[in-house]
Amino acid sequence: MAIGATMHTFEIQLADVDRGVYGDLSLRVAQHPSETDAYLVTRVLAYCLEYEDGIAFSAGGVSTGEEPAILVKDLTGLITAWIEVGAPDAQRLHLGSKRADRTAVYTHRDPAKLLASWRGKTIHQSQEIMVRSFDPKFIDAAAQALTRRNAMSVSVTEGQIYLELNGTNLETQFSTHEIE
């Protein structure tokens, strides 16, 4: 018998001073059996840092190869943002960049290795793709605080993230990288 997804709920207070985005979010997030806690935390943080009208986790989550982890669609259903999490291959980024106005990658992996894996590959408008990485220790600590029901506060100011997750307080500076 196949193992089903684990459901997590997140009650999030978001204050992204850098973008002027504030709100209270209630998320139900399915964690695929193959998805690590670190990936799940990165996916939820990416959702918060990209939050805008029309944002949604992809229907198939990590189990679908046709969509990224997170999509933003306009009122007509057109994809306006293609947001990958983890370590997508160059072909996925190429496809996403062609399908959406904006493409971003959020990773908890070594950004140097990720960028090296794309070097020399064809990626549509690669110079326009935003790549952000989190300190793996920050993500690991957040993953340790993860439960099925989560109370979370995310504050962003001057590129610094302040995270409170189930009573655990963490902070980190996220790094932005360019695709060569």
Side-chain angles (χ1 to χ4, degrees):
M1 181 180 291
I3 298 172
T6 302
M7 292 304 297
H8 294 269
T9 59
F10 291 86
E11 296 299 325
I12 302 170
Q13 293 179 332
L14 175 62
D16 189 336
V17 177
D18 291 352
R19 296 188 308 131
V21 176
Y22 306 89
D24 293 328
L25 313 175
S26 290
L27 302 177
R28 285 179 38 95
V29 183
Q31 182 180 18
H32 189 271
S34 67
E35 183 177 7
T36 65
D37 288 347
Y39 184 95
L40 176 67
V41 167
T42 304
R43 191 160 58 106
V44 171
L45 284 171
Y47 185 98
C48 292
L49 295 173
E50 292 287 335
Y51 183 76
E52 64 178 286
D53 287 340
I55 194 168
F57 291 112
S58 296
V62 298
S63 63
T64 182
E66 296 144 15
E67 292 184 340
I70 302 166
L71 284 170
V72 179
K73 294 182 179 180
D74 67 13
L75 294 174
T76 67
L78 291 175
I79 298 170
T80 59
W82 181 283
I83 303 154
E84 293 282 358
V85 174
D89 64 21
Q91 185 177 358
R92 282 185 63 81
L93 283 182
H94 179 73
L95 171 69
S97 184
K98 289 182 87 168
R99 290 187 68 194
D101 296 336
R102 188 172 58 80
T103 304
V105 177
Y106 288 82
T107 189
H108 58 289
R109 308 212 180 215
D110 182 350
K113 288 181 183 176
L114 185 59
L115 294 168
S117 74
W118 298 332
R119 195 167 293 124
K121 308 259 175 77
T122 301
I123 301 174
H124 182 71
Q125 295 184 338
S126 62
Q127 69 282 1
E128 301 294 322
I129 297 174
M130 181 183 65
V131 180
R132 285 185 170 168
S133 64
F134 299 104
D135 180 346
K137 291 178 185 173
F138 168 81
I139 295 296
D140 289 343
Q144 291 295 316
L146 193 64
T147 64
R148 299 278 297 273
R149 297 186 188 281
N150 300 279
M152 186 169 162
S153 172
V154 178
S155 298
V156 181
T157 183
E158 296 180 4
Q160 186 81 9
I161 299 172
Y162 301 92
L163 174 68
E164 190 275 320
L165 178 59
N166 300 324
T168 300
N169 292 301
L170 304 165
E171 66 179 87
T172 192
Q173 185 87 23
F174 58 78
S175 301
T176 303
H177 312 274
E178 292 183 15
I179 299 174
E180 299 172 10

